[in-house]
Amino acid sequence: MHAALRYLWHWLTAVNEHSLHSPFIYNLYTRGIKKEPAHEDFNIIEKFREKLINSDKIIEVEQLGAESKVSHELNRPVSVIAKKGMTPARNSHLLYNIIRYFDYKNIIELGTSFGINTLYLATNTQVKVTTFEGCYNTSKIAQDIFDELNYENIDLIFGNIDKTLPEFLKYYPDKIDMAYIDANHTLEATLSYFDLLLPFCSKTSLIIIDDIYWSPDMTRAWKTLISHPKVSTSVDLYQFGMIFFNPDLEKREFTLMF
């Protein structure tokens, strides 16, 4: 009910390029968000999505975060997880577009799942993706796909993200261009991940929060984050929330059609 009501509100308040007066947001919207991507690798990636959807395999899932809306059982069919839990191809294409629009190179992903979004993030071989997953059996499927496709620019880190992320960041030498948070869908975890990543963000960095209306907790997390003093502009696409840190941009929240 929460997600449905928020979708209705988003539909009533979202605007398109004709209502945008910010050059930064206008260009992002018309050249990045709304751009129709075309890449031969998409067909390969989507074949793996179809294989997962049609899989007859059953795996034991480690429930580390918020309770799943897909199933309460720990032993779950891969096909059910793939159908109900994976990001739709349209949203994966958006992630692909954003990376190319900003020419991002260093990407952090929290929540690998079966790795379909990870493949979209890493399609450009100049991009380095470090992705974190807490469920062993899920991460094993993702790693097998990465290996089969020879994606050598992906590092998958397995383990409880609450522990593996801070340990990884202790030795991380670079700034993060983009972080995509699609892991533990709780208020506390989302805010914690943001706080851990923030010191590694620059004025050109972007943090994307997935499922910002998945639950009242996630919506509270989103509202808390966009009011953070280091956040300048934010973009609400309903499925995703985009957070920018450039102090040259006005402190403003945009709700856009997608």
Side-chain angles (χ1 to χ4, degrees):
M1 180 61 72
H2 173 79
L5 290 174
R6 295 307 307 184
Y7 180 80
L8 177 61
W9 179 250
H10 187 276
W11 182 78
L12 291 171
T13 58
V15 300
N16 60 20
E17 64 270 30
H18 302 297
S19 300
L20 296 176
H21 303 293
S22 163
F24 175 81
I25 296 298
Y26 178 86
N27 290 330
L28 168 62
Y29 188 63
T30 56
R31 300 177 188 176
I33 294 171
K34 287 190 66 178
K35 183 179 178 181
E36 288 294 330
H39 197 286
E40 58 184 10
D41 287 346
F42 289 3
N43 293 331
I44 298 172
I45 296 173
E46 289 306 314
K47 285 180 181 178
F48 277 89
R49 186 195 298 270
E50 286 301 314
K51 286 177 66 175
L52 292 166
I53 289 173
N54 294 312
S55 173
D56 57 5
K57 187 174 183 179
I58 296 176
I59 61 172
E60 183 178 352
V61 176
E62 298 172 63
Q63 190 68 54
L64 296 173
E67 187 172 316
S68 172
K69 292 185 179 180
V70 175
S71 172
H72 298 298
E73 302 294 331
L74 292 182
N75 292 317
R76 301 175 193 168
V78 167
S79 60
V80 173
I81 301 173
K83 290 174 184 175
K84 302 293 185 179
M86 287 197 303
T87 301
R90 180 170 178 261
N91 296 344
S92 299
H93 293 169
L94 172 63
L95 297 174
Y96 171 92
N97 278 351
I98 294 301
I99 289 174
R100 275 142 193 80
Y101 177 76
F102 288 113
D103 194 28
Y104 286 150
K105 294 294 188 293
N106 296 318
I107 311 296
I108 300 289
E109 179 187 35
L110 305 184
T112 314
S113 186
F114 293 134
I116 298 300
N117 272 341
T118 319
L119 294 173
Y120 276 97
L121 296 172
T123 298
N124 182 347
T125 57
Q126 301 302 309
V127 172
K128 176 66 175 179
V129 178
T130 305
T131 183
F132 296 75
E133 175 56 47
C135 173
Y136 174 77
N137 290 319
T138 304
S139 67
K140 180 64 168 60
I141 291 174
Q143 187 63 64
D144 288 345
I145 294 174
F146 302 156
D147 292 342
E148 185 171 343
L149 292 177
N150 295 315
Y151 270 66
E152 298 180 353
N153 57 330
I154 298 174
D155 279 344
L156 194 162
I157 297 177
F158 161 72
N160 187 330
I161 299 174
D162 294 347
K163 298 177 180 178
T164 56
L165 179 61
E167 186 64 25
F168 169 81
L169 291 174
K170 281 183 185 178
Y171 308 100
Y172 191 71
D174 302 313
K175 288 295 184 181
I176 296 169
D177 291 327
M178 189 183 95
Y180 174 55
I181 300 178
D182 185 21
N184 186 337
H185 284 42
T186 63
L187 172 68
E188 294 80 6
T190 304
L191 298 182
S192 175
Y193 298 152
F194 179 88
D195 288 339
L196 287 167
L197 295 168
L198 186 58
F200 298 88
C201 293
S202 68
K203 65 183 292 184
T204 59
S205 297
L206 165 65
I207 291 181
I208 297 180
I209 312 292
D210 191 62
D211 289 328
I212 58 175
Y213 296 117
W214 187 82
S215 68
D217 255 11
M218 283 301 296
T219 303
R220 281 193 290 271
W222 169 245
K223 296 299 184 183
T224 300
L225 293 179
I226 62 178
S227 65
H228 192 284
K230 289 193 176 181
V231 171
S232 55
T233 295
S234 63
V235 175
D236 177 346
L237 299 173
Y238 181 74
Q239 178 70 34
F240 295 144
M242 306 173 68
I243 294 174
F244 296 93
F245 303 94
N246 190 340
D248 298 331
L249 299 174
E250 63 178 320
K251 182 79 171 180
R252 188 172 173 189
E253 303 165 19
F254 291 88
T255 301
L256 302 182
M257 297 177 183
F258 175 62

